[in-house]
Amino acid sequence: MNWKRTLSVALLAAVIAGPASAQDKQQLAFVVNAASDFWKLAEAGVKKAQEELPNYELQFRYPAQGTAALQNSLMDDLVAAGTDAIMISSADPKNSIDAFNRIAAQIPLFTTDSDAPDSNRIAYLGSSNTDAGKQAGEIAVKALPDGGKCMGFVGFLGADNAVERIAGFKEAVEGSGIELVDVRGDDVDFARARSNVDDVLAANPDITCMVGFYSYNPPKIYEALQAAGKLGQITVIAFDEDPITLGAVREGSFAGTVVQDPYQWGYQGMHLMAKYLEGDKSEIPEDGLIIVPTKVIDKSNVDAFEAELKERIGG
């Protein structure tokens, strides 16, 4: 009878200890600004980090829609559910300060992709969007030696990443004869993103250059130009690594694209938050900015870059 009693005690201990150990795992969340294929690489980075952080539970979360209100509601839900730290790409940082500060008063809050520097977030990990904008401008200067009129397309006109990319682009083309006439926003509505390009093609025949500032904008530019029979007639400068964008760079329809490294945002971001929760704040710089460099992809390096992407997502 003793072995039965011993087994019962062991089973009871396992039942008690099992859930407790699961609950003891601290939870880290990566919250994006909207549903987009762009975020697959960041999700792959979080997945890789999970393999190396077995004592943490990592989450990758999309808001129901790309609005600040739904993002902030999602963060409230995560905190209520016991999440210990959050990293977020802000859809509308200027109108989210109070919400961000409310979260930051409860748990460590970090930003990525689109910063909210006026909030109490601990640090930003991501691209220098100003530098990325300058790189895009440099592509334009090289592709348009005689100057030209450009139209830009972006998701959130007020988001820091958009504002900084546009400013960087303008700085790089200053004095080159290239003018960024206007930038059309679409609030991450893909149908509107396409119609914005169609409208420009119909109403602005003097436009010789288009800049897609968010990952899905260049593919929509490609679709519209292809439908209008104008591929190759209008110079296109892109951002990010959508497969359509990379294909267009390869075939010469796009002058080039400026790519970020969202894989590292997810991977490094999870490790950064884990260390912070463990009391290690050595990786937080005084200015709160951890910059992951961007780079230009053109016909000369697009094949090697695409092979690297496939390995990361496949891995």
Side-chain angles (χ1 to χ4, degrees):
M1 294 296 291
N2 287 342
W3 68 268
K4 288 185 178 180
R5 183 177 182 279
T6 301
L7 180 60
S8 296
V9 171
L11 286 173
L12 179 60
V15 168
I16 294 172
S21 62
Q23 290 172 2
D24 285 346
K25 286 189 177 184
Q26 291 185 292
Q27 299 177 47
L28 311 177
F30 192 108
V31 178
V32 306
N33 54 6
S36 170
D37 286 347
F38 170 77
W39 289 112
K40 288 181 179 178
L41 278 164
E43 192 166 4
V46 171
K47 181 180 178 182
K48 180 63 177 177
Q50 178 69 87
E51 296 174 7
E52 301 172 6
L53 296 169
N55 296 325
Y56 291 85
E57 180 183 337
L58 310 187
Q59 302 180 60
F60 196 90
R61 301 294 297 272
Y62 294 84
Q65 291 179 335
T67 67
L70 288 174
Q71 268 196 319
N72 298 337
S73 176
L74 175 55
M75 285 199 295
D76 285 332
D77 291 344
L78 286 168
V79 171
T83 300
D84 295 282
I86 292 175
M87 178 166 281
I88 184 169
S89 170
S90 178
D92 187 359
K94 290 180 176 58
N95 293 312
S96 300
I97 301 302
D98 290 344
F100 275 38
N101 288 347
R102 182 178 69 250
I103 299 299
Q106 300 173 77
I107 63 171
L109 179 66
F110 296 77
T111 55
T112 186
D113 181 43
S114 180
D115 196 8
D118 295 329
S119 74
N120 294 331
R121 60 93 171 115
I122 291 164
Y124 165 82
L125 188 153
S127 305
S128 165
N129 287 293
T130 301
D131 289 348
K134 290 178 183 177
Q135 288 175 309
E138 290 164 4
I139 297 172
V141 170
K142 183 178 179 180
L144 295 163
D146 298 323
K149 291 187 175 182
C150 298
M151 183 68 73
F153 303 91
V154 75
F156 301 116
L157 282 165
D160 276 26
N161 59 356
V163 172
E164 291 169 4
R165 289 177 195 180
I166 293 165
F169 182 89
K170 288 181 176 179
E171 182 179 340
V173 303
E174 187 175 357
S176 68
I178 296 171
E179 177 189 3
L180 185 62
V181 177
D182 195 11
V183 181
R184 306 288 175 87
D186 54 56
D187 296 323
V188 194
D189 180 330
F190 293 173
R192 186 174 159 198
R194 167 62 191 274
S195 67
N196 279 348
V197 185
D198 291 332
D199 291 346
V200 168
L201 288 173
N204 303 81
D206 58 335
I207 292 297
T208 58
C209 157
M210 292 184 172
V211 187
F213 285 101
Y214 273 15
S215 63
Y216 60 86
N217 291 121
K220 295 306 176 184
I221 293 171
Y222 187 93
E223 291 174 10
L225 292 179
Q226 186 176 51
K230 293 187 176 182
L231 271 178
Q233 297 178 29
I234 292 179
T235 298
V236 180
I237 295 93
F239 275 77
D240 300 321
E241 62 282 324
D242 186 278
I244 292 174
T245 297
L246 296 180
V249 170
R250 181 179 294 106
E251 71 186 26
S253 298
F254 286 7
T257 186
V258 179
V259 298
Q260 306 177 88
D261 200 346
Y263 178 92
Q264 291 298 336
W265 303 350
Y267 178 77
Q268 292 184 30
M270 296 299 104
H271 280 279
L272 179 69
M273 290 196 291
K275 287 182 179 179
Y276 190 90
L277 289 173
E278 292 164 9
D280 181 356
K281 302 178 182 179
S282 62
E283 294 187 14
I284 308 297
E286 283 189 22
D287 64 2
L289 301 176
I290 304 168
I291 301 302
V292 180
T294 54
K295 61 182 177 180
V296 172
I297 302 299
D298 55 25
K299 289 186 75 170
S300 70
N301 59 359
V302 65
D303 290 334
F305 176 72
E306 195 161 31
E308 179 185 358
L309 290 183
K310 289 179 179 177
E311 182 180 353
R312 280 179 163 181
I313 294 177

